[in-house]
Amino acid sequence: MKKFLMTIAAAFAATTMSAQIYVGGGLNLSSESYDGNSTSKISITPEVGYVLDENSALGLGIGFGMSGKDDSKKTEFSVNPYYRYNLVKTEKVNLFVDGSFTFKNTKGDGYTNKDYKENSWSIGVRPGVAVALNDKLSFVSTMGLLGYKSSKPDGGEATNTFGLMDFSTLGLKFGLYYNF
């Protein structure tokens, strides 16, 4: 029994010593103006991930966002677990695809309803690129989603979308990762 436990401990130690964890995320600041009214938005999306092998990783992103001012404020909270697979891997640049599931909760002003609430979820694949700036720091960018999305406001009908979504400069996301 003692040899068995020692073997398990040695295998676990060898696995964790070769493991690579990364942390990072993104920050988004934007402003929109329409018909003389402007709205500012800020969101932060921290991420943590675990590299399984040279071609795959598991990660989790959590997003927090706020927009509007005074009586038109809106807050968002999202959770995004993903599986990342490197399609092309070079010394400095990796092209990857994330298989992801996202849940988002939005609260705030619905322009006519001050108690507006909406839940949405999506599942699909998202292409991206990672550029190694040095041994520890990487610049990462993703764009769009090919998949399914469902949004439902409280008391309203669900809106379902299937296809290529957010594949524009508005769906372009940038971030920095620190690799341990």
Side-chain angles (χ1 to χ4, degrees):
M1 181 70 164
K2 188 175 180 182
K3 287 182 183 180
F4 176 73
L5 291 176
M6 292 302 286
T7 304
I8 295 294
F12 180 75
T15 302
T16 56
M17 287 184 358
S18 66
Q20 186 173 2
I21 296 173
Y22 59 89
V23 295
L27 175 68
N28 179 31
L29 302 169
S30 64
S31 180
E32 182 179 296
S33 181
Y34 176 76
D35 200 24
N37 296 321
S38 65
T39 301
S40 297
K41 180 178 181 179
I42 183 169
S43 64
I44 184 167
T45 53
E47 284 186 39
V48 62
Y50 180 81
V51 177
L52 299 172
D53 59 39
E54 68 181 41
N55 286 324
S56 60
L58 291 174
L60 176 66
I62 297 178
F64 305 96
M66 295 185 336
S67 64
K69 58 184 175 184
D70 301 329
D71 62 348
S72 65
K73 288 184 181 179
K74 191 185 321 183
T75 60
E76 292 180 348
F77 172 75
S78 64
V79 177
N80 176 26
Y82 61 86
Y83 171 76
R84 177 165 294 164
Y85 184 77
N86 289 320
L87 299 170
V88 177
K89 186 173 174 94
T90 67
E91 187 176 325
K92 294 285 184 186
V93 178
N94 295 341
L95 299 177
F96 62 85
V97 63
D98 284 351
S100 69
F101 173 82
T102 302
F103 173 79
K104 184 186 289 186
N105 177 268
T106 305
K107 294 180 181 177
D109 178 22
Y111 305 108
T112 59
N113 179 358
K114 300 297 180 206
D115 296 323
Y116 178 80
K117 295 177 184 174
E118 179 180 80
N119 290 321
S120 64
W121 64 272
S122 63
I123 189 166
V125 293
R126 183 180 320 271
V129 61
V131 178
L133 302 175
N134 58 38
D135 288 343
K136 297 290 184 186
L137 196 61
S138 298
F139 172 79
V140 179
S141 179
T142 60
M143 177 186 247
L145 178 74
L146 175 60
Y148 178 80
K149 180 179 180 181
S150 180
S151 301
K152 184 179 184 307
D154 278 0
E157 294 292 319
T159 302
N160 301 305
T161 308
F162 179 77
L164 190 58
M165 298 168 267
D166 298 330
F167 207 73
S168 68
T169 55
L170 295 175
L172 186 62
K173 297 177 183 174
F174 299 104
L176 288 174
Y177 288 0
Y178 182 80
N179 303 296
F180 289 95

PDB file of all heavy atoms in Angstrom, residues 132-146:
ATOM      1  N   ALA A 132       3.491  35.402 -28.310  1.00  0.00           N
ATOM      2  CA  ALA A 132       4.384  35.408 -27.155  1.00  0.00           C
ATOM      3  C   ALA A 132       5.280  36.638 -27.223  1.00  0.00           C
ATOM      4  O   ALA A 132       6.085  36.775 -28.139  1.00  0.00           O
ATOM      5  CB  ALA A 132       5.220  34.140 -27.132  1.00  0.00           C
ATOM      6  N   LEU A 133       5.122  37.543 -26.262  1.00  0.00           N
ATOM      7  CA  LEU A 133       5.954  38.738 -26.198  1.00  0.00           C
ATOM      8  C   LEU A 133       7.306  38.418 -25.572  1.00  0.00           C
ATOM      9  O   LEU A 133       8.307  39.031 -25.911  1.00  0.00           O
ATOM     10  CB  LEU A 133       5.245  39.837 -25.420  1.00  0.00           C
ATOM     11  CG  LEU A 133       3.876  40.251 -25.994  1.00  0.00           C
ATOM     12  CD1 LEU A 133       3.205  41.264 -25.080  1.00  0.00           C
ATOM     13  CD2 LEU A 133       4.026  40.805 -27.398  1.00  0.00           C
ATOM     14  N   ASN A 134       7.305  37.478 -24.622  1.00  0.00           N
ATOM     15  CA  ASN A 134       8.526  36.928 -24.033  1.00  0.00           C
ATOM     16  C   ASN A 134       8.157  35.571 -23.428  1.00  0.00           C
ATOM     17  O   ASN A 134       7.081  35.046 -23.709  1.00  0.00           O
ATOM     18  CB  ASN A 134       9.158  37.892 -23.012  1.00  0.00           C
ATOM     19  CG  ASN A 134       8.222  38.250 -21.886  1.00  0.00           C
ATOM     20  OD1 ASN A 134       7.461  37.423 -21.395  1.00  0.00           O
ATOM     21  ND2 ASN A 134       8.279  39.501 -21.452  1.00  0.00           N
ATOM     22  N   ASP A 135       9.006  35.005 -22.581  1.00  0.00           N
ATOM     23  CA  ASP A 135       8.739  33.676 -22.015  1.00  0.00           C
ATOM     24  C   ASP A 135       7.506  33.648 -21.116  1.00  0.00           C
ATOM     25  O   ASP A 135       6.858  32.619 -20.981  1.00  0.00           O
ATOM     26  CB  ASP A 135       9.937  33.182 -21.204  1.00  0.00           C
ATOM     27  CG  ASP A 135      11.110  32.799 -22.098  1.00  0.00           C
ATOM     28  OD1 ASP A 135      10.889  32.613 -23.310  1.00  0.00           O
ATOM     29  OD2 ASP A 135      12.237  32.694 -21.573  1.00  0.00           O
ATOM     30  N   LYS A 136       7.169  34.757 -20.511  1.00  0.00           N
ATOM     31  CA  LYS A 136       6.085  34.790 -19.529  1.00  0.00           C
ATOM     32  C   LYS A 136       4.838  35.553 -19.977  1.00  0.00           C
ATOM     33  O   LYS A 136       3.763  35.336 -19.437  1.00  0.00           O
ATOM     34  CB  LYS A 136       6.586  35.425 -18.218  1.00  0.00           C
ATOM     35  CG  LYS A 136       7.680  34.649 -17.547  1.00  0.00           C
ATOM     36  CD  LYS A 136       7.144  33.367 -16.978  1.00  0.00           C
ATOM     37  CE  LYS A 136       8.214  32.624 -16.205  1.00  0.00           C
ATOM     38  NZ  LYS A 136       7.744  31.335 -15.768  1.00  0.00           N
ATOM     39  N   LEU A 137       4.947  36.462 -20.934  1.00  0.00           N
ATOM     40  CA  LEU A 137       3.838  37.343 -21.298  1.00  0.00           C
ATOM     41  C   LEU A 137       3.377  37.091 -22.727  1.00  0.00           C
ATOM     42  O   LEU A 137       4.194  37.006 -23.640  1.00  0.00           O
ATOM     43  CB  LEU A 137       4.294  38.800 -21.143  1.00  0.00           C
ATOM     44  CG  LEU A 137       3.225  39.868 -21.095  1.00  0.00           C
ATOM     45  CD1 LEU A 137       2.298  39.664 -19.907  1.00  0.00           C
ATOM     46  CD2 LEU A 137       3.870  41.242 -21.001  1.00  0.00           C
ATOM     47  N   SER A 138       2.047  36.973 -22.900  1.00  0.00           N
ATOM     48  CA  SER A 138       1.467  36.746 -24.225  1.00  0.00           C
ATOM     49  C   SER A 138       0.352  37.749 -24.485  1.00  0.00           C
ATOM     50  O   SER A 138      -0.420  38.090 -23.581  1.00  0.00           O
ATOM     51  CB  SER A 138       0.869  35.342 -24.336  1.00  0.00           C
ATOM     52  OG  SER A 138       1.847  34.364 -24.179  1.00  0.00           O
ATOM     53  N   PHE A 139       0.264  38.204 -25.719  1.00  0.00           N
ATOM     54  CA  PHE A 139      -0.824  39.042 -26.203  1.00  0.00           C
ATOM     55  C   PHE A 139      -1.818  38.100 -26.883  1.00  0.00           C
ATOM     56  O   PHE A 139      -1.434  37.309 -27.736  1.00  0.00           O
ATOM     57  CB  PHE A 139      -0.290  40.084 -27.197  1.00  0.00           C
ATOM     58  CG  PHE A 139      -1.368  40.858 -27.884  1.00  0.00           C
ATOM     59  CD1 PHE A 139      -2.010  41.896 -27.246  1.00  0.00           C
ATOM     60  CD2 PHE A 139      -1.743  40.532 -29.180  1.00  0.00           C
ATOM     61  CE1 PHE A 139      -3.010  42.601 -27.883  1.00  0.00           C
ATOM     62  CE2 PHE A 139      -2.733  41.237 -29.831  1.00  0.00           C
ATOM     63  CZ  PHE A 139      -3.363  42.279 -29.179  1.00  0.00           C
ATOM     64  N   VAL A 140      -3.101  38.186 -26.514  1.00  0.00           N
ATOM     65  CA  VAL A 140      -4.114  37.271 -27.042  1.00  0.00           C
ATOM     66  C   VAL A 140      -5.282  38.072 -27.597  1.00  0.00           C
ATOM     67  O   VAL A 140      -5.696  39.073 -27.021  1.00  0.00           O
ATOM     68  CB  VAL A 140      -4.614  36.310 -25.938  1.00  0.00           C
ATOM     69  CG1 VAL A 140      -5.686  35.378 -26.461  1.00  0.00           C
ATOM     70  CG2 VAL A 140      -3.455  35.516 -25.373  1.00  0.00           C
ATOM     71  N   SER A 141      -5.800  37.615 -28.736  1.00  0.00           N
ATOM     72  CA  SER A 141      -6.954  38.265 -29.351  1.00  0.00           C
ATOM     73  C   SER A 141      -7.920  37.199 -29.868  1.00  0.00           C
ATOM     74  O   SER A 141      -7.497  36.195 -30.434  1.00  0.00           O
ATOM     75  CB  SER A 141      -6.491  39.160 -30.501  1.00  0.00           C
ATOM     76  OG  SER A 141      -7.605  39.777 -31.107  1.00  0.00           O
ATOM     77  N   THR A 142      -9.216  37.422 -29.656  1.00  0.00           N
ATOM     78  CA  THR A 142     -10.262  36.549 -30.195  1.00  0.00           C
ATOM     79  C   THR A 142     -11.285  37.409 -30.920  1.00  0.00           C
ATOM     80  O   THR A 142     -11.389  38.609 -30.679  1.00  0.00           O
ATOM     81  CB  THR A 142     -10.973  35.740 -29.090  1.00  0.00           C
ATOM     82  OG1 THR A 142     -11.578  36.636 -28.169  1.00  0.00           O
ATOM     83  CG2 THR A 142     -10.017  34.813 -28.375  1.00  0.00           C
ATOM     84  N   MET A 143     -12.056  36.745 -31.811  1.00  0.00           N
ATOM     85  CA  MET A 143     -13.062  37.488 -32.573  1.00  0.00           C
ATOM     86  C   MET A 143     -14.230  36.586 -32.914  1.00  0.00           C
ATOM     87  O   MET A 143     -14.047  35.472 -33.385  1.00  0.00           O
ATOM     88  CB  MET A 143     -12.468  38.045 -33.861  1.00  0.00           C
ATOM     89  CG  MET A 143     -13.486  38.766 -34.730  1.00  0.00           C
ATOM     90  SD  MET A 143     -12.772  39.234 -36.291  1.00  0.00           S
ATOM     91  CE  MET A 143     -12.793  40.986 -36.116  1.00  0.00           C
ATOM     92  N   GLY A 144     -15.431  37.087 -32.672  1.00  0.00           N
ATOM     93  CA  GLY A 144     -16.635  36.418 -33.127  1.00  0.00           C
ATOM     94  C   GLY A 144     -16.970  35.141 -32.389  1.00  0.00           C
ATOM     95  O   GLY A 144     -16.298  34.734 -31.446  1.00  0.00           O
ATOM     96  N   LEU A 145     -18.048  34.504 -32.856  1.00  0.00           N
ATOM     97  CA  LEU A 145     -18.501  33.234 -32.319  1.00  0.00           C
ATOM     98  C   LEU A 145     -19.316  32.543 -33.394  1.00  0.00           C
ATOM     99  O   LEU A 145     -20.232  33.130 -33.969  1.00  0.00           O
ATOM    100  CB  LEU A 145     -19.376  33.442 -31.078  1.00  0.00           C
ATOM    101  CG  LEU A 145     -19.965  32.186 -30.446  1.00  0.00           C
ATOM    102  CD1 LEU A 145     -18.884  31.408 -29.711  1.00  0.00           C
ATOM    103  CD2 LEU A 145     -21.090  32.530 -29.507  1.00  0.00           C
ATOM    104  N   LEU A 146     -18.979  31.314 -33.681  1.00  0.00           N
ATOM    105  CA  LEU A 146     -19.777  30.479 -34.567  1.00  0.00           C
ATOM    106  C   LEU A 146     -20.509  29.503 -33.669  1.00  0.00           C
ATOM    107  O   LEU A 146     -19.890  28.621 -33.061  1.00  0.00           O
ATOM    108  CB  LEU A 146     -18.904  29.723 -35.574  1.00  0.00           C
ATOM    109  CG  LEU A 146     -19.635  28.722 -36.470  1.00  0.00           C
ATOM    110  CD1 LEU A 146     -20.696  29.422 -37.311  1.00  0.00           C
ATOM    111  CD2 LEU A 146     -18.653  27.986 -37.345  1.00  0.00           C
TER     112      LEU A 146
END
